[in-house]
Amino acid sequence: MTATTHELGHRPVRDVVIVGGGTAGWMTASYLRAAFGDALRVTLVESKNVPTIGVGEATFSTVRHFFEYLGLDETEWMPACKATYKLAIRFEDWRRPGHHFYHPFERLRVVDGFPITDWWLHLRPGERFDRDCFLIASLCDAMRSPRYLDNGIFEQDFREDGDTPQYRTTLTEQDTQFPYAYHFDAALLARYLTGYAVDRGVRQVLDDVVDVVLDEGGWIERVTTAEHGDLSGDLFIDCTGFRSLLMNRVAEEPFVSYQDTLPNDRAVALRVPVDMARRGIRPCTTATAQDAGWIWTIPLLGRVGTGYVYSSSYCDADTAERTLRAFVGPDGEEAQANHIKMRIGRSARSWVRNCVAVGLSSGFVEPLESTGIFFIQNGIEQLVKHFPGRGFSDAVTASYNRQVANVMDGVREFLTLHYYAAARQDNDYWRDTKTRPMPDSLAARLESWGTQLPDIENVFPHYHGFESYSYAAMLLGLGGLPLRPPAALELFDDAAAQRELQSIRDRTKQLVDQLPSHYAYFAHLHGLP
Ligand code: FAD
């Protein structure tokens, strides 16, 4: 180790430089301020010329921990970001045209030790497992808000935002399943967080980084900007998106591509103004299967974000745009298309010496389960937990890299399952999803899921944001794999399970009757017609 390397590596970190002002950059800057306050100096440099990716508007329910950590209440940030609620993802046409099901933010009820989905397979009480086993599927079909007009929430077995938290929680210690996430305008969120961070002392530099200067040991000494000279620091955070400006300079190892298992590598996106009073607002993200991928529909207040995620091996950009425009209809005629190349996979290491990649520069999988912002949140939380306050340590860096890699590898498995388990096989794209290589670990798990739905013991073993109920919901909804109930259920008295299924039906009916529509909730809140 050289003298300079020694100096940089062992100096306590007090000066952080973030490069990039997209969702990743501003989420990181805000969170570091919220965590460490004045103990840390944070500078964020963002280009006036390089645009942000311009998409990324649906989230996970755990994103609430991020806002809570910052001390931000829904009533403050949601209106500023045109945000709506998201109770589930609605999968359309993945089994066959006209079919849909939901992957909700709702854990399964358990009867006599067996999840209700096991009982459902055994008893087959109806056509729709999602409506029979979860409350949220019916709320989505009926386009209901998760909150009443007096702001009360439909399920109360978790701590409400209004309570004064005694301490702040992060992703991995979440003990209850909060029933909704958000859709928001990503550009407005970045602007909102800019205000939050700058008000609390983050220095914002609007400029292009034109050089990354390393010492002879490969540690970043400073970045050079076009107009503001050099910015030096102890720790540099690469939030430059798919460009990975800093990481490409410090890391020699190859990018770990997921393309062999997840071939979708392009997207075309539109922002479509819609008349919400006429159309209503679905309280969910929709993923509609297409000939060479799928289309997302994300309803915000006043517009919809939509885009076709596809594989360039099966579809060209013109066809993708035409397909998307035909799907959207006349509302989208004036909308400008944003064509995006996606790099699917992750950095072998997201933290190398004094450089940490957060956001698209660290890794990305197609947005089928809205995991981009979740990856950012996880990366930031882990950075705080592993923060090199006394200087850098190889063991701490390795621990961070392991955790971040596990999260992305786990999500890769889950998404691979979506394609493999989908019944749809009507063209080469969908037929090939059944023969493509898959992670070895997933192949082994699939065998066991044929005889017993996924449980905590046999899903991807490291934290990756998805619990076994999500796997069960996808397998039951996608419909392409044979599933059997546990043999033990044949020997049980099913009276308790029948009662539970009835109680779900009763409660669902009550909620659909009592909750306002998702549109009516926001119209009431914002004084809309
Ligand atoms: P970017 O938004 O690309 O920001 C990069 C920043 O770096 C910009 O500010 C740019 O100006 C700056 N920069 C670049 N070069 C320089 C330079 N030389 N000097 C200074 N600054 C520079 N995630 C979800 O959670 N939900 C979704 O529904 C979702 N949908 C997605 C759909 C698609 C098609 C794609 C591609 C991604 C989606 N994501 C989604 C992921 C999400 O968009 C990203 O995780 C999120 O926007 C973070 O992006 P970023 O900040 O890492 O990069």
Side-chain angles (χ1 to χ4, degrees):
M1 201 185 271
T2 66
T4 324
T5 301
H6 181 85
E7 194 210 319
L8 274 172
H10 291 273
R11 172 161 100 194
V13 172
R14 294 293 176 269
D15 269 302
V16 174
V17 176
I18 299 169
V19 183
T23 311
W26 285 112
M27 279 180 71
T28 306
S30 309
Y31 200 89
L32 288 178
R33 281 307 291 186
F36 299 125
D38 290 338
L40 207 64
R41 283 177 296 277
V42 179
T43 301
L44 185 147
V45 52
E46 62 179 319
S47 168
K48 282 179 282 188
N49 306 309
V50 183
T52 60
I53 194 92
V55 284
E57 308 193 312
T59 55
F60 257 39
S61 62
T62 44
V63 75
R64 66 194 290 269
H65 295 291
F66 173 81
F67 291 108
E68 262 184 27
Y69 201 94
L70 267 54
L72 292 174
D73 194 76
E74 277 186 2
T75 52
E76 290 176 60
W77 72 265
M78 280 187 75
C81 303
K82 308 256 183 242
T84 62
Y85 293 125
K86 168 183 172 183
L87 293 163
I89 300 177
R90 174 182 164 108
F91 287 87
E92 289 182 346
D93 304 349
W94 286 70
R95 184 189 284 227
R96 60 173 183 275
H99 178 267
H100 79 269
F101 71 96
Y102 295 94
H103 170 200
F105 294 119
E106 184 175 341
R107 284 187 182 151
L108 291 166
R109 296 156 188 234
V110 178
V111 178
D112 290 338
F114 292 87
I116 199 72
T117 38
D118 280 347
W119 284 106
W120 186 88
L121 272 176
H122 174 59
L123 299 168
R124 296 280 177 172
E127 287 295 306
R128 294 268 307 267
F129 84 95
D130 53 349
R131 292 179 67 131
D132 291 339
C133 300
F134 299 102
L135 301 175
I136 281 180
S138 302
L139 301 191
C140 287
D141 273 346
M143 292 173 55
R144 288 296 182 264
S145 160
R147 289 188 182 273
Y148 296 96
L149 293 182
D150 69 1
N151 221 28
I153 198 160
F154 79 94
E155 285 293 299
Q156 293 293 356
D157 39 339
F158 39 77
R159 187 167 56 74
E160 250 294 36
D161 306 50
D163 298 352
T164 310
Q166 301 301 307
Y167 51 85
R168 297 178 290 187
T169 53
T170 58
L171 287 170
T172 43
E173 70 260 25
Q174 153 144 323
D175 52 359
T176 54
Q177 173 64 73
F178 198 70
Y180 64 74
Y182 310 100
H183 303 123
F184 49 65
D185 183 316
L188 293 180
L189 181 72
R191 203 178 304 159
Y192 188 84
L193 293 178
T194 306
Y196 175 95
V198 170
D199 282 353
R200 286 162 181 76
V202 170
R203 180 180 165 219
Q204 179 188 22
V205 178
L206 280 174
D207 205 344
D208 285 321
V209 168
V210 290
D211 197 11
V212 181
V213 181
L214 308 184
D215 73 4
E216 59 269 41
W219 295 67
I220 302 180
E221 274 188 352
R222 59 188 187 278
V223 292
T224 307
T225 62
E227 293 166 8
H228 292 75
D230 288 344
L231 300 172
S232 21
D234 307 314
L235 175 70
F236 291 81
I237 305 186
D238 185 345
C239 295
T240 59
F242 286 135
R243 283 172 198 82
S244 291
L245 195 71
L246 276 58
M247 222 43 190
N248 284 344
R249 285 283 283 133
V250 296
E252 303 81 24
E253 67 269 7
F255 183 77
V256 180
S257 172
Y258 294 160
Q259 192 94 26
D260 55 340
T261 50
L262 295 170
N264 293 343
D265 56 353
R266 297 281 193 281
V268 51
L270 296 173
R271 293 163 167 238
V272 182
V274 291
D275 178 355
M276 295 294 185
R278 184 172 54 85
R279 285 222 337 212
I281 309 176
R282 271 196 204 288
C284 57
T285 303
T286 302
T288 309
Q290 298 293 320
D291 283 349
W294 57 280
I295 288 178
W296 79 77
T297 306
I298 299 177
L300 312 176
L301 282 189
R303 78 164 167 86
V304 157
T306 183
Y308 186 4
V309 173
Y310 63 97
S311 164
S312 59
S313 304
Y314 297 81
C315 180
D316 60 53
D318 287 345
T319 311
E321 186 175 334
R322 265 199 314 279
T323 307
L324 179 63
R325 288 191 182 279
F327 180 85
V328 169
D331 285 345
E333 267 165 17
E334 304 290 314
Q336 212 188 343
N338 176 11
H339 286 268
I340 299 164
K341 283 188 185 170
M342 305 187 300
R343 186 180 60 164
I344 304 297
R346 63 171 169 83
S347 297
R349 293 178 293 165
S350 289
W351 183 340
V352 177
R353 294 185 280 281
N354 62 340
C355 178
V356 182
V358 175
L360 298 174
S361 56
S362 156
F364 177 65
V365 294
E366 60 178 272
L368 186 52
E369 286 283 347
S370 321
T371 42
I373 290 163
F374 163 68
F375 288 162
I376 295 171
Q377 186 184 354
N378 181 64
I380 306 169
E381 286 187 3
Q382 291 301 322
L383 178 59
V384 165
K385 287 177 186 184
H386 290 84
F387 203 79
R390 287 192 294 270
F392 292 87
S393 135
D394 289 345
V396 167
T397 305
S399 160
Y400 176 91
N401 282 327
R402 243 189 336 268
Q403 201 278 351
V404 165
N406 279 337
V407 167
M408 291 193 227
D409 290 350
V411 172
R412 173 208 201 171
E413 267 204 15
F414 187 46
L415 294 197
T416 305
L417 176 71
H418 288 47
Y419 291 96
Y420 184 74
R424 189 165 177 159
Q425 293 210 44
D426 55 329
N427 65 10
D428 284 349
Y429 176 86
W430 287 97
R431 275 189 291 278
D432 291 350
T433 61
K434 311 300 177 275
T435 52
R436 206 161 270 137
M438 67 168 68
D440 291 345
S441 46
L442 177 60
R445 276 186 251 290
L446 275 165
E447 269 197 50
S448 68
W449 296 338
T451 50
Q452 187 141 4
L453 283 174
D455 63 29
I456 193 168
E457 299 298 332
N458 62 17
V459 295
F460 189 79
H462 305 287
Y463 175 77
H464 60 294
F466 294 99
E467 301 178 16
S468 55
Y469 84 78
S470 293
Y471 287 79
M474 292 314 298
L475 283 169
L476 286 160
L478 291 164
L481 299 180
L483 302 171
R484 298 172 64 192
L489 294 189
E490 287 168 22
L491 310 178
F492 263 95
D493 176 356
D494 59 25
Q498 298 281 15
R499 274 197 304 278
E500 196 58 33
L501 287 162
Q502 187 57 45
S503 97
I504 294 172
R505 278 191 286 274
D506 294 344
R507 180 76 181 128
T508 297
K509 183 172 178 326
Q510 203 181 32
L511 287 172
V512 169
D513 288 347
Q514 290 172 355
L515 283 163
S517 79
H518 198 207
Y519 177 79
Y521 174 81
F522 284 107
H524 176 77
L525 204 67
H526 299 288
L528 304 174

